Amino acid sequence: MAEVMVKRPYHVDLKELMRVYETNYAKLNALLPTQPSVDDLRCYQAAQMTYQLQVLEVTKYTTLVEICQSDDISVFPLPTMSVRLYHDARVAEVHTSDHLSRIKARHDYPNEKMVQKDEKAQINRFLGDWLTFCLKHGISRQPINFSHP
């Protein structure tokens, strides 16, 4: 007999998402200057690809960083992302990405841009994977000052 699929609504796993935010904060801080200033730039070479992190904004409690791939021709391009670090909460989340100017915690599906229901969780997990890749395999073009905020 045919089984009936019950469509369950998507619920954000807040505990998992906060864990991702916290680990991304720690990883990103290891790649940024100790006391970042607007327009600070860090470049990393990893697996014949070049990535850059640029500080766009610094306030008392937050820092906004743009992350992009700076190769002339890239086989697997990294989406350009802006990531906001919240220093009081010690978390970092993707603020915008190439195709999204605002990433919601949950999207209705299907939608006009065909954004997945859990797009926010996916893009933040991707950021975590990319940061791990840079920390393990990347070579900085500038000396890295490790800080313990």
PDB file of all heavy atoms in Angstrom, residues 64 81-84 86 93-97 100-103 120 124:
ATOM      1  N   LEU A  64      31.441  44.397  11.584  1.00  0.00           N
ATOM      2  CA  LEU A  64      30.902  43.848  10.345  1.00  0.00           C
ATOM      3  C   LEU A  64      32.071  43.576   9.406  1.00  0.00           C
ATOM      4  O   LEU A  64      32.888  44.463   9.146  1.00  0.00           O
ATOM      5  CB  LEU A  64      29.919  44.827   9.697  1.00  0.00           C
ATOM      6  CG  LEU A  64      29.210  44.356   8.436  1.00  0.00           C
ATOM      7  CD1 LEU A  64      28.314  43.147   8.733  1.00  0.00           C
ATOM      8  CD2 LEU A  64      28.391  45.487   7.834  1.00  0.00           C
ATOM      9  N   MET A  81      30.057  37.319   1.391  1.00  0.00           N
ATOM     10  CA  MET A  81      29.194  37.357   2.571  1.00  0.00           C
ATOM     11  C   MET A  81      29.607  38.511   3.469  1.00  0.00           C
ATOM     12  O   MET A  81      30.785  38.831   3.558  1.00  0.00           O
ATOM     13  CB  MET A  81      29.325  36.073   3.391  1.00  0.00           C
ATOM     14  CG  MET A  81      28.892  34.828   2.707  1.00  0.00           C
ATOM     15  SD  MET A  81      29.124  33.376   3.780  1.00  0.00           S
ATOM     16  CE  MET A  81      30.821  32.989   3.418  1.00  0.00           C
ATOM     17  N   SER A  82      28.636  39.107   4.134  1.00  0.00           N
ATOM     18  CA  SER A  82      28.980  40.012   5.224  1.00  0.00           C
ATOM     19  C   SER A  82      28.566  39.302   6.507  1.00  0.00           C
ATOM     20  O   SER A  82      27.491  38.700   6.586  1.00  0.00           O
ATOM     21  CB  SER A  82      28.290  41.371   5.081  1.00  0.00           C
ATOM     22  OG  SER A  82      26.906  41.256   5.178  1.00  0.00           O
ATOM     23  N   VAL A  83      29.461  39.345   7.466  1.00  0.00           N
ATOM     24  CA  VAL A  83      29.256  38.631   8.727  1.00  0.00           C
ATOM     25  C   VAL A  83      29.349  39.637   9.859  1.00  0.00           C
ATOM     26  O   VAL A  83      30.293  40.419   9.931  1.00  0.00           O
ATOM     27  CB  VAL A  83      30.330  37.529   8.911  1.00  0.00           C
ATOM     28  CG1 VAL A  83      30.119  36.786  10.220  1.00  0.00           C
ATOM     29  CG2 VAL A  83      30.323  36.568   7.733  1.00  0.00           C
ATOM     30  N   ARG A  84      28.360  39.617  10.734  1.00  0.00           N
ATOM     31  CA  ARG A  84      28.371  40.517  11.885  1.00  0.00           C
ATOM     32  C   ARG A  84      28.790  39.741  13.122  1.00  0.00           C
ATOM     33  O   ARG A  84      28.231  38.699  13.420  1.00  0.00           O
ATOM     34  CB  ARG A  84      27.011  41.165  12.114  1.00  0.00           C
ATOM     35  CG  ARG A  84      27.076  42.223  13.215  1.00  0.00           C
ATOM     36  CD  ARG A  84      25.863  43.118  13.267  1.00  0.00           C
ATOM     37  NE  ARG A  84      25.547  43.838  12.062  1.00  0.00           N
ATOM     38  CZ  ARG A  84      26.091  44.998  11.684  1.00  0.00           C
ATOM     39  NH1 ARG A  84      27.029  45.551  12.411  1.00  0.00           N
ATOM     40  NH2 ARG A  84      25.689  45.598  10.577  1.00  0.00           N
ATOM     41  N   TYR A  86      28.993  39.833  17.117  1.00  0.00           N
ATOM     42  CA  TYR A  86      28.396  40.472  18.294  1.00  0.00           C
ATOM     43  C   TYR A  86      29.301  40.140  19.477  1.00  0.00           C
ATOM     44  O   TYR A  86      29.289  39.018  19.973  1.00  0.00           O
ATOM     45  CB  TYR A  86      26.976  39.942  18.526  1.00  0.00           C
ATOM     46  CG  TYR A  86      26.031  40.254  17.384  1.00  0.00           C
ATOM     47  CD1 TYR A  86      25.864  39.363  16.334  1.00  0.00           C
ATOM     48  CD2 TYR A  86      25.312  41.444  17.353  1.00  0.00           C
ATOM     49  CE1 TYR A  86      25.005  39.637  15.282  1.00  0.00           C
ATOM     50  CE2 TYR A  86      24.446  41.733  16.310  1.00  0.00           C
ATOM     51  CZ  TYR A  86      24.303  40.819  15.275  1.00  0.00           C
ATOM     52  OH  TYR A  86      23.452  41.116  14.240  1.00  0.00           O
ATOM     53  N   GLU A  93      27.189  35.884  12.895  1.00  0.00           N
ATOM     54  CA  GLU A  93      26.214  35.330  11.968  1.00  0.00           C
ATOM     55  C   GLU A  93      26.332  35.999  10.609  1.00  0.00           C
ATOM     56  O   GLU A  93      26.713  37.166  10.513  1.00  0.00           O
ATOM     57  CB  GLU A  93      24.784  35.459  12.488  1.00  0.00           C
ATOM     58  CG  GLU A  93      24.209  36.841  12.429  1.00  0.00           C
ATOM     59  CD  GLU A  93      22.718  36.893  12.740  1.00  0.00           C
ATOM     60  OE1 GLU A  93      21.961  36.035  12.260  1.00  0.00           O
ATOM     61  OE2 GLU A  93      22.326  37.817  13.443  1.00  0.00           O
ATOM     62  N   VAL A  94      26.019  35.233   9.572  1.00  0.00           N
ATOM     63  CA  VAL A  94      26.020  35.778   8.225  1.00  0.00           C
ATOM     64  C   VAL A  94      24.867  36.773   8.142  1.00  0.00           C
ATOM     65  O   VAL A  94      23.722  36.445   8.446  1.00  0.00           O
ATOM     66  CB  VAL A  94      25.869  34.669   7.165  1.00  0.00           C
ATOM     67  CG1 VAL A  94      25.776  35.275   5.772  1.00  0.00           C
ATOM     68  CG2 VAL A  94      27.023  33.686   7.254  1.00  0.00           C
ATOM     69  N   HIS A  95      25.206  37.984   7.754  1.00  0.00           N
ATOM     70  CA  HIS A  95      24.239  39.068   7.673  1.00  0.00           C
ATOM     71  C   HIS A  95      23.623  39.125   6.278  1.00  0.00           C
ATOM     72  O   HIS A  95      22.416  39.219   6.124  1.00  0.00           O
ATOM     73  CB  HIS A  95      24.960  40.370   8.029  1.00  0.00           C
ATOM     74  CG  HIS A  95      24.085  41.554   8.137  1.00  0.00           C
ATOM     75  ND1 HIS A  95      24.042  42.511   7.157  1.00  0.00           N
ATOM     76  CD2 HIS A  95      23.237  41.955   9.106  1.00  0.00           C
ATOM     77  CE1 HIS A  95      23.188  43.456   7.514  1.00  0.00           C
ATOM     78  NE2 HIS A  95      22.690  43.130   8.682  1.00  0.00           N
ATOM     79  N   THR A  96      24.469  39.089   5.251  1.00  0.00           N
ATOM     80  CA  THR A  96      24.012  39.043   3.863  1.00  0.00           C
ATOM     81  C   THR A  96      24.900  38.076   3.094  1.00  0.00           C
ATOM     82  O   THR A  96      26.016  37.773   3.500  1.00  0.00           O
ATOM     83  CB  THR A  96      24.073  40.424   3.171  1.00  0.00           C
ATOM     84  OG1 THR A  96      25.424  40.860   3.108  1.00  0.00           O
ATOM     85  CG2 THR A  96      23.227  41.452   3.891  1.00  0.00           C
ATOM     86  N   SER A  97      24.376  37.614   1.961  1.00  0.00           N
ATOM     87  CA  SER A  97      25.130  36.747   1.070  1.00  0.00           C
ATOM     88  C   SER A  97      24.819  37.181  -0.353  1.00  0.00           C
ATOM     89  O   SER A  97      23.888  37.957  -0.576  1.00  0.00           O
ATOM     90  CB  SER A  97      24.722  35.294   1.297  1.00  0.00           C
ATOM     91  OG  SER A  97      25.526  34.429   0.523  1.00  0.00           O
ATOM     92  N   LEU A 100      21.162  37.070  -1.244  1.00  0.00           N
ATOM     93  CA  LEU A 100      20.193  37.475  -0.221  1.00  0.00           C
ATOM     94  C   LEU A 100      20.666  38.715   0.513  1.00  0.00           C
ATOM     95  O   LEU A 100      21.761  38.730   1.071  1.00  0.00           O
ATOM     96  CB  LEU A 100      19.996  36.344   0.797  1.00  0.00           C
ATOM     97  CG  LEU A 100      19.388  35.053   0.280  1.00  0.00           C
ATOM     98  CD1 LEU A 100      19.451  33.986   1.346  1.00  0.00           C
ATOM     99  CD2 LEU A 100      17.961  35.279  -0.160  1.00  0.00           C
ATOM    100  N   SER A 101      19.828  39.740   0.523  1.00  0.00           N
ATOM    101  CA  SER A 101      20.198  40.958   1.243  1.00  0.00           C
ATOM    102  C   SER A 101      19.833  40.847   2.721  1.00  0.00           C
ATOM    103  O   SER A 101      20.358  41.562   3.550  1.00  0.00           O
ATOM    104  CB  SER A 101      19.509  42.165   0.623  1.00  0.00           C
ATOM    105  OG  SER A 101      18.116  42.004   0.668  1.00  0.00           O
ATOM    106  N   ARG A 102      18.942  39.966   3.043  1.00  0.00           N
ATOM    107  CA  ARG A 102      18.576  39.717   4.440  1.00  0.00           C
ATOM    108  C   ARG A 102      18.225  38.243   4.558  1.00  0.00           C
ATOM    109  O   ARG A 102      17.359  37.752   3.847  1.00  0.00           O
ATOM    110  CB  ARG A 102      17.375  40.570   4.841  1.00  0.00           C
ATOM    111  CG  ARG A 102      16.986  40.376   6.287  1.00  0.00           C
ATOM    112  CD  ARG A 102      15.915  41.384   6.720  1.00  0.00           C
ATOM    113  NE  ARG A 102      15.436  41.038   8.022  1.00  0.00           N
ATOM    114  CZ  ARG A 102      14.346  40.311   8.254  1.00  0.00           C
ATOM    115  NH1 ARG A 102      13.609  39.896   7.260  1.00  0.00           N
ATOM    116  NH2 ARG A 102      13.974  40.026   9.482  1.00  0.00           N
ATOM    117  N   ILE A 103      18.904  37.561   5.428  1.00  0.00           N
ATOM    118  CA  ILE A 103      18.672  36.124   5.573  1.00  0.00           C
ATOM    119  C   ILE A 103      17.774  35.899   6.789  1.00  0.00           C
ATOM    120  O   ILE A 103      18.169  36.166   7.911  1.00  0.00           O
ATOM    121  CB  ILE A 103      20.001  35.363   5.727  1.00  0.00           C
ATOM    122  CG1 ILE A 103      20.901  35.666   4.528  1.00  0.00           C
ATOM    123  CG2 ILE A 103      19.750  33.871   5.843  1.00  0.00           C
ATOM    124  CD1 ILE A 103      22.292  35.123   4.653  1.00  0.00           C
ATOM    125  N   LYS A 120      19.333  30.092   6.392  1.00  0.00           N
ATOM    126  CA  LYS A 120      20.173  30.755   7.400  1.00  0.00           C
ATOM    127  C   LYS A 120      21.101  29.745   8.077  1.00  0.00           C
ATOM    128  O   LYS A 120      22.301  29.986   8.221  1.00  0.00           O
ATOM    129  CB  LYS A 120      19.314  31.463   8.438  1.00  0.00           C
ATOM    130  CG  LYS A 120      20.127  32.272   9.433  1.00  0.00           C
ATOM    131  CD  LYS A 120      19.213  33.009  10.391  1.00  0.00           C
ATOM    132  CE  LYS A 120      19.917  34.140  11.049  1.00  0.00           C
ATOM    133  NZ  LYS A 120      19.765  35.412  10.397  1.00  0.00           N
ATOM    134  N   ASN A 124      25.295  29.645   7.487  1.00  0.00           N
ATOM    135  CA  ASN A 124      26.152  29.792   8.663  1.00  0.00           C
ATOM    136  C   ASN A 124      27.008  28.548   8.893  1.00  0.00           C
ATOM    137  O   ASN A 124      28.161  28.658   9.308  1.00  0.00           O
ATOM    138  CB  ASN A 124      25.321  30.146   9.896  1.00  0.00           C
ATOM    139  CG  ASN A 124      24.991  31.616   9.919  1.00  0.00           C
ATOM    140  OD1 ASN A 124      25.830  32.442  10.247  1.00  0.00           O
ATOM    141  ND2 ASN A 124      23.766  31.968   9.532  1.00  0.00           N
TER     142      ASN A 124
END
